[in-house]
């Protein structure tokens, strides 16, 4: 009798928590299932997300929260919480009109003052924010970030309840592109976002969905936000996000009908999935780079060695053989799908060939210090299968063709970050994100004062070109200066472009309405499942 009562209690607890119906371990074909299942991958540690970058984890931000503006799959900037905006005659002052029906998930009004508070928190010197420099276009933002003034001196103010004014230091024709990023989705940066896995009920949401439940294995149940200003456009009442980590395990769950949608399948299975119609690709602005540690005294400071390596890499082999067509060869530093801010695309020049340039590379090596001192170079990388295969492939080819000896070493995330800050490596394979849709997003990361430039590259001419491009009012001249800056970067070769990522989306035929932003984030508001 005691055993019977105990079982009844356990079943009662399980059903009340929602774990039985929502868990992907259960039978997905059961009649109770009436929601789409998307595998997010590894769940984020917090919902503040200002310290690190993960495209898939940021999918949570774009679906739970919304900013002043949003970006569509073509890169077009659309009204979001701001229904409209006016730009001053001198192109330095934006006035955003907040929607009358913009509300938090508890039904309370979203007002201009909420954005003032939000920007003050984003720029606070007390919060770690790798993106803070992007907002230095705003008058007073840099001084406030550095503790030199109060936020009252920053040009972000509420004119009244529904009108927000942001004044810039100088014209920035891609400022709305910056604001369209997921990290500028409106949220209250409080402890509930840090401890979201247990406090998700206390969070105020501003986007299409809210978190309604979180199971013991981190399955996240999203429910339609009934107080969202555009609630009628949301197609699904409920969506389940799973957090299966690892491409092989995710594909197995997909094949066993436990999930309906996921990204980035195993490299070895990519072509079969495309041929079967289960996978589709979209371009991405994210790239993979080889960087040289110029903080270290020694051989990598030899520019002939760096140039030899840059043209001695077989990009076609990496993209098509090692990574099975999942990426695209990077023949320039800035991707070809980036906007020029004038309704066109940024086009500079092709710096590299897809195949290695063996003879030219050998000539450069013969004139380098490496020819006199054939030491082994240390190449470090974040320990993933893709990175391991790529780095070992690069090392093998450079040894075969140029007799350059390279030792590859992978590290877990924390260790890798620490290694990058040290001087005890020669090269590192890193990923570079396109923060916003404009060429300066890529170039400003390499100026000597950038918080992201850990690698010791410093060229005064390059710094001046980037700073002039940022301050230039004429849109054509801004692009010309950006081209000149990219030319300097590629001539100095502190960094070697390897490949541009593709966004690879695998989904069941029954899933409709999936789309990605130009940045690559998956939006779920239009998703429905065909019965």
């Amino acid at each position: 009798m005691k055993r019977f009562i105990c079982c009844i209690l356990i079943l009662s607890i399980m059903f009340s928590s929602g774990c039985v119906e929502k868990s992907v371990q259960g039978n997905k074909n059961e009649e109770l299932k009436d929601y789409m299942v998307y595998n997010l991958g590894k769940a984020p540690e917090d919902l503040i997300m200002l310290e690190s970058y993960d495209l898939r984890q940021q999918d949570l931000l774009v679906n739970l929260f919304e900013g002043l503006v949003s970006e569509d799959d073509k890169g077009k900037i659309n009204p979001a919480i701001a229904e409209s905006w006016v730009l001053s005659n001198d192109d330095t002052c934006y006035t955003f009109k907040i929607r009358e029906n913009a509300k938090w998930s508890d039904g309370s009004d979203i007002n201009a003052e909420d954005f003032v508070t939000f920007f003050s928190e984003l720029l606070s010197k007390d919060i770690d924010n790798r993106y803070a420099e992007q907002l230095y276009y705003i008058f007073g933002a840099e001084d406030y970030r550095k503790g030199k003034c109060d936020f009252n001196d920053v040009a972000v103010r509420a004119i009244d309840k529904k009108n927000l004014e942001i004044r810039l230091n100088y014209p920035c024709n891609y400022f709305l592109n910056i604001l369209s990023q997921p990290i500028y989705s409106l949220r209250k940066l409080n402890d509930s976002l840090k401890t979201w896995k247990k406090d998700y009920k206390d969070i105020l949401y501003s986007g299409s969905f809210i978190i309604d439940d979180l199971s013991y294995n981190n399955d996240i149940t999203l429910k339609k936000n009934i107080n969202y200003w555009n609630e009628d456009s949301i197609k699904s009442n409920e969506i389940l996000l799973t957090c299966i980590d690892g491409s092989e395990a995710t594909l197995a769950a997909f094949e066993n009908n436990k999930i309906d949608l996921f990204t980035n399948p195993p490299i070895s299975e990519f072509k079969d999935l495309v041929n079967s119609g289960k996978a589709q690709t979209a371009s991405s602005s994210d790239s993979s780079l080889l960087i040289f540690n110029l903080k270290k005294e020694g051989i990598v400071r030899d520019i002939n060695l760096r140039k030899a390596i840059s043209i001695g890499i077989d990009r076609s082999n990496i993209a098509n053989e090692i990574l099975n067509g999942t990426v695209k060869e990077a023949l320039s530093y800035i991707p070809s799908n980036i906007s020029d801010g004038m309704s066109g695309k940024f086009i500079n020049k092709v710096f590299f060939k897809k195949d290695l340039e063996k003879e030219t590379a050998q000539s450069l090596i013969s004139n380098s210090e490496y020819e006199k001192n054939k030491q082994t170079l240390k190449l470090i990388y974040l320990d993933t299968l893709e990175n391991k295969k790529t780095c070992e492939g690069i090392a093998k080819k450079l040894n075969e063709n140029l007799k350059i000896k390279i030792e590859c070493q992978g590290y877990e995330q924390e260790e890798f970050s620490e290694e990058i800050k040290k001087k005890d490596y020669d090269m590192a394979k890193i990923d570079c994100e396109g923060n916003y849709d404009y060429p300066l997003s890529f170039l400003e990361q390499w100026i000597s004062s950038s918080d992201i430039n850990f690698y010791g590259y410093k060229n005064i001419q390059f710094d001046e070109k980037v700073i002039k491009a940022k301050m230039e009012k004429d849109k054509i001249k801004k692009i010309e200066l950006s081209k000149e800056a990219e030319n300097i970067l590629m001539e100095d070769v502190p960094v070697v472009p390897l490949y541009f990522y593709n966004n690879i989306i695998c989904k069941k035929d029954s899933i409709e309405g999936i789309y990605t932003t130009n940045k690559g984030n998956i939006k779920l508001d239009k998703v429905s499942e065909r019965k």
Side-chain angles (χ1 to χ4, degrees), residues 238-350:
E238 180 178 349
I239 290 175
L240 183 67
L241 305 183
T242 58
C243 295
I244 304 170
D245 192 15
S247 60
E248 297 286 352
T250 304
L251 178 60
F254 180 76
E255 298 289 2
N256 290 324
N257 295 319
K258 293 179 178 179
I259 59 176
D260 304 306
L261 173 73
F262 74 103
T263 63
N264 302 325
I267 293 168
S268 59
E269 304 295 328
F270 168 66
K271 289 181 179 177
D272 287 341
L273 287 166
V274 170
N275 292 335
S276 66
K278 295 177 180 178
Q280 59 190 44
T281 62
S283 61
S284 168
S285 57
D286 291 354
S287 59
S288 185
L289 312 170
L290 195 68
I291 60 98
F292 295 97
N293 180 14
L294 299 180
K295 286 185 176 181
K296 180 180 180 180
E297 297 287 344
I299 197 70
V300 293
R301 293 199 176 187
D302 187 306
I303 192 166
N304 284 326
L305 171 65
R306 300 201 304 272
K307 286 185 174 181
I309 290 174
S310 72
I311 64 173
I313 289 173
D314 191 336
R315 291 168 175 80
S316 180
N317 175 259
I318 294 172
N320 299 306
E321 301 301 324
I322 296 176
L323 299 181
N324 201 30
T326 58
V327 300
K328 179 183 178 182
E329 301 95 338
L331 308 182
S332 60
Y333 180 63
I334 299 172
S336 59
N337 64 329
I338 297 303
S339 170
D340 64 359
M342 298 178 288
S343 302
K345 297 298 179 183
F346 177 84
I347 300 173
N348 187 10
K349 64 177 70 171
V350 174

Side-chain angles (χ1 to χ4, degrees), residues 448-477:
S448 54
S449 61
S450 170
D451 290 340
I452 303 174
N453 182 4
F454 301 113
Y455 319 108
Y457 175 60
K458 184 175 183 179
N459 183 312
I460 295 174
Q461 285 184 313
F462 175 78
D463 289 356
E464 289 176 347
K465 293 290 184 186
V466 173
I467 292 168
K468 283 182 180 179
K470 292 174 73 170
M471 299 180 68
E472 176 59 56
K473 295 180 180 180
D474 186 283
K475 294 178 182 179
I476 295 175
K477 288 182 180 178

Side-chain angles (χ1 to χ4, degrees), residues 3 7 21 60 97 118 160 222 283 305 318 336 351 373 399 404-405 413 429 433 438 467 502:
R3 181 180 296 177
C7 289
E21 184 180 339
L60 265 180
K97 174 68 176 177
F118 181 51
D160 54 35
L222 302 185
S283 61
L305 171 65
I318 294 172
S336 59
F351 293 93
N373 180 14
N399 188 34
I404 298 174
K405 298 177 182 178
Q413 181 64 69
K429 181 183 181 294
E433 60 178 301
Y438 197 76
I467 292 168
N502 286 318

Side-chain angles (χ1 to χ4, degrees), residues 68 112-127 129 132 135-159 164-167 175 179 184 189:
L68 290 164
E113 195 61 47
D114 290 312
F115 281 97
V116 174
T117 301
F118 181 51
F119 280 104
S120 71
E121 292 170 341
L122 287 174
L123 286 165
S124 171
K125 60 182 175 58
D126 298 322
I127 191 171
N129 182 359
L135 297 179
Y136 287 179
Y137 289 100
I138 300 173
F139 180 86
E142 184 174 3
D143 283 346
Y144 172 70
R145 175 69 175 172
K146 294 178 178 178
K148 297 179 180 179
C149 68
D150 296 323
F151 194 75
N152 290 332
D153 298 316
V154 180
V156 179
R157 70 184 185 97
I159 299 174
L164 176 75
E165 182 183 272
I166 300 179
R167 185 160 52 87
F175 184 63
L179 294 185
Y184 299 117
L189 304 184

